[in-house]
Amino acid sequence: MVELTINNLKVKAEEGMTILEAAKSVGISVPTLCYMKNLFPTGACRMCVVEVTGQRNLLPSCAFPVTEGMVVETNSPRVRRARKTIVELLVENHPQDCLICVRNKNCELQDLAERYAVREHRFAGEKRKHVVDISSPAMERDPAKCILCGRCVRVCNEIQKIGAIDFSGRGFASIVTTPYNKGLNVSDCILCGQCIIACPTAALRERSSTKIVSTALGNKNKFVVAQIAPAVRATLGEEFRMPAGTDVTGKLVSGLRRLGFKKVFDTNFAADLTIIEEANELVQRVVNNQPLPMFTSCCPGWVKFAEMNYPEIIPNLSSCKSPHEMEGAILKSYFAKKMGLDPRDIFVVSIMPCTVKKFESERPELGHDALHDVDSVLTTRELVRFFNMAGIDFSDLPDEEFDNPLGESTGAAAIFGTSGGVMEAAIRTAYYTITGQNLDNVEIDEIRGMEGVKSATLTMGELEVKVAVVNGIGNVRPLIDEINAGTSPYHFIEVMACPGGCINGGGQPIHQNLDNVMKRVRALYEIDKKSVTRRSHDNEAIKTLYKEFLKEPGSHTAHTLLHTHYHDRSGK
Amino acid sequence: MLSWTDQSLKVIPYKLIEGMIVAAYAIGANFGYIYCRAEYPLAISRLTHCIHECEKYGLLGDNILNSKFNFRLKIKKGAGAFVCGEETALIASIEGKRGMPKPRPPFPAVSGLWGKPTVINNVETLSNITSIISKGAEWFASVGTEKSKGTKVFALSGKIVNTGLVEIPMGITLEEVVFNIGGGIPFNKKFKAVQIGGPSGGCLPMSVIKTQVDYESLKDVGAMMGSGGFVVMDEDTCMVDIARFFLNFIQSESCGKCVPCREGTKRMLEIIERVPVAYKEGIDKYDQLQRFKGIIGLKRLADVIRDTSLCGLGQSAPNPVLSGLQYFKDEYEEHLFDRRCRSGVCKELLTFTIDTTLCSGCGLCKRKCGTEAIIGQKGEAHYVLQDKCIKCGMCLETCRFCAINVN
Ligand SMILES: Cc1cc2nc3c(=O)[nH]c(=O)nc-3n(C[C@H](O)[C@H](O)[C@H](O)COP(=O)(O)O)c2cc1C
Ligand code: SF4
Ligand code: SF4
Ligand code: SF4
Ligand code: SF4
Ligand code: SF4
Ligand code: SF4
Ligand code: FES
């Protein structure tokens, strides 16, 4: 323990703590931009500077450790002047078009300009000019709005370990960009959007689909339906000032109906369906000696990563489409027939926590007869804009139920939205498929939580099944290396590109608070706990679907509608 | 490890290598790097040769002279970014990363190259080691001042008779360096300033020429020892222009990591660039205000850049401007208020006129002028239309009768 003084307050801090952490522990907040919790400080932005007696220069509190007897001022005139100047410098090299900006009212630069009362253009001069990178169907990069804090670079390099973007150029010409400035779509980017939710400004953002959806909703000849991903219901409330982890399923359904969607379905239905197909595929692979371990394929970011970097493991990817694509396929076949609709008139909108799903929905193999299974993907953030534009006061909405038959789901589907959830759901059903009996304790603690790689060994009748859960794409490479070396002990591996799973997806509400992610996860487990049925194979609507239409898991119809194939994108 | 300035070309490589071996032995290091710009091929080839020779004679490698001490030397060629001289950026560069400084602590001595304890020194420092060891510390300390011991190598350049490398004892005055060792200013021009310490050193005028050359005294007058650059300027040098030149260099060499250096030096440059602009009818009122406000804000901006930048490059970037404002305020004011550049360097402030008594009316200048700024009838005196003139100087070069005046 060391004792220091911060703003005349005696503070006890642990050795090795930074000034920033020590100040925070006594409720003194210091503004930061480049700082990222749990990562080594880079000291890039200088927003967090403080005055320390005896030191010639101001010091970055995020990077400087506390020492015994240190005397710190976090709010002296010298500090305020420095911080204000830094904000002014950033503002002056910025487009300043807040009124037409997607991050208006949720922007750290805007907040700082307000907090430090920037009221004049003291350093007006040349501004950087850059073109917006719209090469990708899922994301946009707008370097003119970039303040070069480096948070995206660190997420992409240090957490996701992709390395699609980095600093380039010097001085005023510095830019965060892709290799050779060639555009995200030809880089190693997997479009996970983790950089978007790390970005303090609008320099990184999703490719907006609101216009397409809006046009479809206005088209009398279109039967526009929505489906809601498992992870959206536990996060969207945050955008309407509800506490993180509030379950807003019922309001989402009624809200979407008010927006004009003819039917509102639940992607959770298709999550249950995915489990049935995937568990069956796993058993088939074991029985028929096909490539193992099998990887989950419901995360398109992971699929893109595998296709681009490890084409040799494509045979290990489950051939199952991701749940919302399955839902779309069933909507345009089974449901269309049932309702007497022409599949061409159905317009499926997926409400997703994810940016890659925009890319996924455009994959040509995910569809039939020149029709995409899913027509458009809205992220959680984009849907919020729809509600705002329609003047819908979300918190006042009544709770309503999903439409059927594609609205019914089990607790197993609910946890798809969190890392380990798909695996847990799969185990519940695989156990039944293999042993003919139901697992007593459906909660598998070993694969819950935030570790990078989680694993468990389960006894299913005579079989010892070893499973692993990869939480965040940055942790996957060692497991693939094991497979290539022939030493992988696993039968089944879940991979989610986003740390924490879809609940922390690139399309989710932007906040810089890790605690919120934990609250969101808890909400999903809570939904599961409260569910009457917690095993996908107990879903009555799914049973009917097989009876009336698909016949059995892995049937010919199931294969044409619910399974897909992958491409080598490595360019090797 | 060390980085390399061009002055060190002349340092005897064996002295450096020996110094590094001794330093490595002292701290228990088994690996050393010499970081050298790839643009200095001569230095690299000489060093490579010398390292090979040392290896041949068992002075580098395993079990040096049966001492059980192993030491290897490697030359790392840098791509010539100025900032890679900063120690943490240098480490990043050797590791194959982008040359960007990191906050300290942790200092390289604790966690440096590949996360291992690392000592970084200048070539000159390391080359001094063997002499100090063989002749003793007293010998070394007998030269120099109370706090700055020994000698220092400077690269004399600019408007000075004797250019090149000089080694001087610490503590002699600037005057001695400029006028005795350097031989004074050529062509009987007047001394104006000397800039010490590389591109971000301060510019010192005649009034402080009696300053001693040592770390403390130089700092007191707003300069620094830095890399040992010593650039002399005469009366034909414009101090506003000099500030612009060095800011431009710093701005394009800033690694772009931290806001004050990346954005701040750009704004400083813009403010300085607005100082030597000519009066323009109509649009000038606002412009004039901006110029004044700019200069007033300049000091504050410079202070913040110095106070908050991550590395030495940004922290010292404002020096040329600050020392200029301190010592050459009158020159700034002349540019600002009188729109005059006494050295005739700031082209935009020049006025071209034709002396009607000398003009023969040949019309040559009229034909050469690219902007049709010259009018006049053949055989009669010509005139320059000031609002059209872009101060290119073409007429001055063309006129055979010396009729063009510039002031
Ligand atoms: C922007 C910048 C550029 C530098 N360039 C050099 C250089 O070219 N050569 C050099 O020896 N030191 C350079 N330095 C200083 C080194 O980082 C380091 O402090 C020095 O070499 C330490 O050696 P010494 O203690 O023996 O002087 C530079 C420092 C900065 C901030
Ligand atoms: S990124 Fe922020 S500061 Fe920039 S225009 Fe958008 S809202 Fe305004
Ligand atoms: S979307 Fe993901 S992979 Fe692409 S740049 Fe951002 S963090 Fe990297
Ligand atoms: S894109 Fe955003 S996160 Fe990345 S450096 Fe720029 S401002 Fe920071
Ligand atoms: S983890 Fe979920 S949100 Fe993230 S990329 Fe995968 S599917 Fe999308
Ligand atoms: S002061 Fe300049 S050179 Fe140094 S880290 Fe900051 S931006 Fe880079
Ligand atoms: S200086 Fe150039 S532009 Fe001006 S009058 Fe002479 S030739 Fe013409
Ligand atoms: S938050 Fe400390 S330097 Fe950026």
Side-chain angles (χ1 to χ4, degrees):
Chain A
M1 279 301 220
V2 296
E3 198 177 280
L4 67 158
T5 313
I6 306 180
N7 302 353
N8 294 324
L9 228 69
K10 287 263 175 277
V11 182
K12 276 201 190 327
E14 271 168 54
E15 216 146 316
M17 250 191 179
T18 61
I19 300 176
L20 182 74
E21 288 163 341
K24 206 166 174 202
S25 73
V26 290
I28 296 171
S29 106
V30 173
T32 60
L33 273 175
C34 67
Y35 168 76
M36 297 179 88
K37 209 174 169 181
N38 301 331
L39 290 186
F40 205 79
T42 61
C45 72
R46 321 308 282 179
M47 227 14 251
C48 67
V49 286
V50 294
E51 193 168 346
V52 176
T53 308
Q55 294 279 348
R56 189 164 51 95
N57 292 340
L58 298 179
L59 298 179
S61 61
C62 71
F64 210 88
V66 293
T67 53
E68 182 64 41
M70 189 181 237
V71 180
V72 181
E73 278 284 347
T74 71
N75 190 30
S76 67
R78 180 170 160 215
V79 166
R80 279 199 303 270
R81 189 180 72 162
R83 289 194 193 141
K84 181 169 181 169
T85 306
I86 287 168
V87 178
E88 286 177 305
L89 287 170
L90 286 174
V91 167
E92 227 38 272
N93 195 5
H94 195 82
Q96 301 169 14
D97 45 15
C98 301
L99 285 178
I100 53 166
C101 182
V102 66
R103 289 293 291 270
N104 194 15
K105 294 158 89 180
N106 181 18
C107 169
E108 291 178 44
L109 180 59
Q110 202 182 45
D111 288 349
L112 285 170
E114 173 53 28
R115 184 163 162 188
Y116 286 94
V118 177
R119 294 287 179 266
E120 56 177 330
H121 299 285
R122 285 202 308 133
F123 304 122
E126 187 189 341
K127 286 185 191 191
R128 293 179 297 149
K129 283 191 193 68
H130 293 293
V131 278
V132 183
D133 171 10
I134 50 165
S135 62
S136 148
M139 288 172 52
E140 291 177 1
R141 264 182 347 107
D142 187 352
K145 289 191 175 170
C146 172
I147 56 172
L148 295 154
C149 68
R151 293 201 319 221
C152 56
V153 174
R154 308 199 71 197
V155 165
C156 192
N157 287 263
E158 292 171 43
I159 297 178
Q160 299 298 73
K161 302 205 169 85
I162 302 286
I165 45 176
D166 209 333
F167 288 92
S168 167
R170 280 191 218 155
F172 198 69
S174 300
I175 178 177
V176 166
T177 186
T178 48
Y180 308 107
N181 210 1
K182 283 223 162 148
L184 272 182
N185 221 29
V186 289
S187 74
D188 284 341
C189 173
I190 60 163
L191 305 172
C192 66
Q194 284 300 303
C195 53
I196 298 181
I197 55 173
C199 182
T201 70
L204 292 164
R205 56 200 185 222
E206 67 281 327
R207 193 77 188 273
S208 173
S209 310
T210 45
K211 220 180 211 162
I212 308 163
V213 175
S214 194
T215 312
L217 281 170
N219 185 340
K220 292 273 172 303
N221 302 322
K222 286 278 178 199
F223 191 86
V224 187
V225 302
Q227 56 166 317
I228 304 170
V232 174
R233 63 206 68 195
T235 63
L236 187 128
E238 290 167 28
E239 297 283 70
F240 296 95
R241 284 186 212 82
M242 297 179 197
T246 310
D247 173 11
V248 294
T249 316
K251 293 186 194 306
L252 256 171
V253 177
S254 64
L256 284 164
R257 290 211 178 101
R258 284 172 199 206
L259 287 176
F261 288 92
K262 294 268 191 344
K263 299 273 179 189
V264 180
F265 296 118
D266 198 350
T267 309
N268 288 18
F269 167 85
D272 279 332
L273 184 57
T274 306
I275 288 300
I276 309 284
E277 287 294 325
E278 209 159 359
N280 177 66
E281 185 184 348
L282 179 66
V283 174
Q284 293 304 318
R285 279 178 186 245
V286 175
V287 173
N288 300 334
N289 251 329
Q290 281 162 341
L292 284 174
M294 181 174 88
F295 281 106
T296 57
S297 58
C298 43
C299 169
W302 149 238
V303 169
K304 191 168 187 281
F305 175 87
E307 289 178 322
M308 291 196 302
N309 301 286
Y310 297 94
E312 69 275 13
I313 57 140
I314 285 179
N316 297 63
L317 289 179
S318 161
S319 64
C320 289
K321 289 181 183 174
S322 70
H324 83 121
E325 294 290 341
M326 284 200 184
E327 183 111 353
I330 296 293
L331 278 167
K332 290 188 179 180
S333 54
Y334 174 70
F335 173 78
K337 204 142 104 205
K338 236 182 151 86
M339 298 285 292
L341 286 167
D342 183 343
R344 277 172 297 187
D345 292 337
I346 302 180
F347 192 93
V348 180
V349 179
S350 301
I351 315 293
M352 295 283 127
C354 179
T355 40
V356 207
K357 299 268 181 200
K358 287 176 186 273
F359 162 83
E360 182 192 32
S361 69
E362 291 186 11
R363 291 180 72 124
E365 63 275 16
L366 294 177
H368 273 280
D369 309 327
L371 281 182
H372 285 297
D373 291 336
V374 169
D375 296 283
S376 194
V377 172
L378 291 179
T379 60
T380 313
R381 296 190 295 268
E382 287 171 279
L383 181 61
V384 170
R385 282 168 222 148
F386 261 95
F387 286 136
N388 286 337
M389 209 184 294
I392 292 173
D393 189 341
F394 194 76
S395 33
D396 281 353
L397 285 172
D399 287 346
E400 289 179 11
E401 297 285 329
F402 283 109
D403 286 300
N404 271 318
L406 285 79
E408 193 177 324
S409 67
T410 70
I415 56 175
F416 255 61
T418 170
S419 162
V422 178
M423 184 57 76
E424 193 170 322
I427 290 168
R428 293 177 191 175
T429 291
Y431 189 89
Y432 176 79
T433 317
I434 292 167
T435 66
Q437 280 168 345
N438 273 336
L439 199 61
D440 288 335
N441 182 12
V442 292
E443 296 180 8
I444 304 163
D445 284 330
E446 295 104 301
I447 53 173
R448 294 186 172 192
M450 282 296 169
E451 285 123 277
V453 178
K454 300 168 273 187
S455 63
T457 306
L458 302 131
T459 314
M460 299 192 185
E462 319 246 289
L463 276 176
E464 282 256 293
V465 180
K466 281 186 191 292
V467 302
V469 170
V470 178
N471 178 17
I473 198 80
N475 302 305
V476 80
R477 289 180 203 263
L479 277 86
I480 298 176
D481 291 343
E482 254 179 9
I483 296 170
N484 284 338
T487 57
S488 177
Y490 301 114
H491 297 96
F492 192 17
I493 303 177
E494 174 201 299
V495 185
M496 287 291 164
C498 300
C502 306
I503 200 76
N504 187 31
Q508 295 281 36
I510 295 171
H511 56 72
Q512 307 295 337
N513 187 344
L514 291 176
D515 297 342
N516 279 1
V517 176
M518 293 312 298
K519 288 185 192 143
R520 293 168 175 180
V521 170
R522 250 173 269 139
L524 293 187
Y525 283 124
E526 206 49 43
I527 296 176
D528 172 36
K529 213 168 196 166
K530 285 195 296 213
S531 302
V532 193
T533 45
R534 297 180 73 182
R535 297 172 184 92
S536 298
H537 53 276
D538 290 339
N539 183 327
E540 289 301 328
I542 298 273
K543 285 184 190 165
T544 315
L545 176 69
Y546 276 104
K547 209 181 305 151
E548 289 182 2
F549 184 60
L550 294 171
K551 306 306 170 212
E552 69 214 9
S555 71
H556 180 70
T557 321
H559 256 281
T560 29
L561 288 175
L562 308 181
H563 291 256
T564 183
H565 55 275
Y566 308 103
H567 303 285
D568 180 345
R569 292 176 198 260
S570 67
K572 276 180 200 154
Chain B
M1 284 184 314
L2 53 112
S3 63
W4 185 270
T5 48
D6 46 350
Q7 49 158 320
S8 318
L9 264 173
K10 301 276 163 63
V11 175
I12 306 155
Y14 288 120
K15 240 182 143 177
L16 168 64
I17 295 170
E18 196 181 353
M20 287 188 77
I21 298 170
V22 174
Y25 185 75
I27 62 168
N30 299 112
F31 228 98
Y33 284 87
I34 300 174
Y35 190 87
C36 178
R37 296 184 61 161
E39 289 91 331
Y40 301 152
L42 180 61
I44 291 174
S45 72
R46 277 190 193 171
L47 269 169
T48 313
H49 169 77
C50 296
I51 291 174
H52 279 320
E53 290 290 301
C54 290
E55 282 167 351
K56 214 157 72 191
Y57 290 101
L59 298 170
L60 279 174
D62 289 343
N63 195 16
I64 295 170
L65 302 177
N66 279 329
S67 61
K68 300 219 171 63
F69 172 65
N70 310 328
F71 184 61
R72 282 165 206 289
L73 257 184
K74 223 175 158 171
I75 300 173
K76 169 74 197 179
K77 282 181 255 180
F82 178 55
V83 70
C84 285
E86 197 281 337
E87 50 186 30
T88 55
L90 186 147
I91 288 171
S93 171
I94 292 179
E95 288 175 349
K97 299 184 191 133
R98 187 178 151 89
M100 270 179 156
K102 283 195 199 122
R104 295 168 298 182
F107 287 93
V110 176
S111 169
L113 188 65
W114 317 115
K116 301 278 186 293
T118 305
V119 168
I120 298 169
N121 277 105
N122 178 258
V123 170
E124 205 181 335
T125 310
L126 290 163
S127 304
N128 274 332
I129 290 182
T130 44
S131 316
I132 296 177
I133 290 203
S134 50
K135 298 190 183 166
E138 294 76 31
W139 164 80
F140 186 76
S142 67
V143 184
T145 64
E146 181 70 36
K147 281 187 174 159
S148 303
K149 302 288 185 202
T151 62
K152 173 80 194 140
V153 177
F154 279 105
L156 301 196
S157 64
K159 305 290 174 58
I160 191 158
V161 174
N162 306 323
T163 58
L165 295 174
V166 295
E167 185 175 2
I168 59 152
M170 295 273 196
I172 66 170
T173 64
L174 290 173
E175 189 171 30
E176 284 172 85
V177 181
V178 175
F179 293 102
N180 298 349
I181 300 169
I185 317 293
F187 309 119
N188 282 328
K189 295 266 183 183
K190 274 216 251 358
F191 169 90
K192 184 179 253 179
V194 54
Q195 197 220 23
I196 306 179
S200 44
C203 298
L204 304 177
M206 200 64 186
S207 59
V208 295
I209 196 85
K210 302 258 188 250
T211 305
Q212 285 188 6
V213 179
D214 63 56
Y215 290 95
E216 298 72 30
S217 310
L218 284 180
K219 208 161 172 188
D220 287 346
V221 289
M224 59 182 190
M225 202 72 93
S227 62
F230 197 103
V231 187
V232 180
M233 302 158 196
D234 69 9
E235 58 190 302
D236 290 342
T237 315
C238 166
M239 298 317 286
V240 177
D241 183 58
I242 284 292
R244 182 173 55 189
F245 175 82
F246 285 115
L247 268 177
N248 197 24
F249 175 82
I250 289 291
Q251 164 58 214
S252 49
E253 287 296 326
S254 155
C255 83
K257 182 173 182 176
C258 69
V259 182
C261 171
R262 179 185 73 234
E263 309 286 342
T265 56
K266 171 74 179 176
R267 298 310 165 206
M268 282 186 77
L269 176 61
E270 285 179 340
I271 292 168
I272 294 289
E273 278 171 344
R274 278 197 293 261
V275 172
V277 293
Y279 179 82
K280 281 183 205 68
E281 198 78 51
I283 57 164
D284 202 68
K285 257 201 185 123
Y286 170 76
D287 184 58
Q288 183 70 332
L289 189 68
Q290 285 302 100
R291 292 168 76 223
F292 292 160
K293 270 170 82 175
I295 288 291
I296 291 164
L298 195 59
K299 172 90 170 65
R300 172 174 156 181
L301 179 57
D303 283 344
V304 171
I305 294 171
R306 198 148 69 165
D307 217 10
T308 60
S309 286
L310 197 166
C311 84
L313 190 148
Q315 286 162 11
S316 60
N319 285 348
V321 175
L322 288 178
S323 62
L325 283 175
Q326 183 183 349
Y327 296 122
F328 302 95
K329 199 163 162 234
D330 48 341
E331 237 177 277
Y332 274 81
E333 284 172 353
E334 256 172 39
H335 281 76
L336 213 50
F337 301 113
D338 310 340
R339 312 246 183 191
R340 206 174 87 80
C341 173
R342 65 170 81 165
S343 324
V345 173
C346 299
K347 275 236 162 110
E348 232 208 285
L349 294 185
L350 300 179
T351 319
F352 287 81
T353 49
I354 296 176
D355 185 335
T356 46
T357 58
L358 291 177
C359 178
S360 72
C362 71
L364 208 54
C365 60
K366 183 179 166 185
R367 263 176 279 141
K368 283 276 178 181
C369 176
T371 62
E372 297 182 358
I374 298 178
I375 52 164
Q377 298 287 330
K378 191 122 195 134
E380 285 168 30
H382 283 47
Y383 297 90
V384 178
L385 299 175
Q386 291 307 330
D387 54 342
K388 278 193 170 176
C389 173
I390 57 162
K391 341 269 186 195
C392 72
M394 191 58 97
C395 51
L396 183 69
E397 281 173 34
T398 312
C399 184
R400 297 194 202 122
F401 304 94
C402 299
I404 312 282
N405 282 339
V406 194
N407 32 52

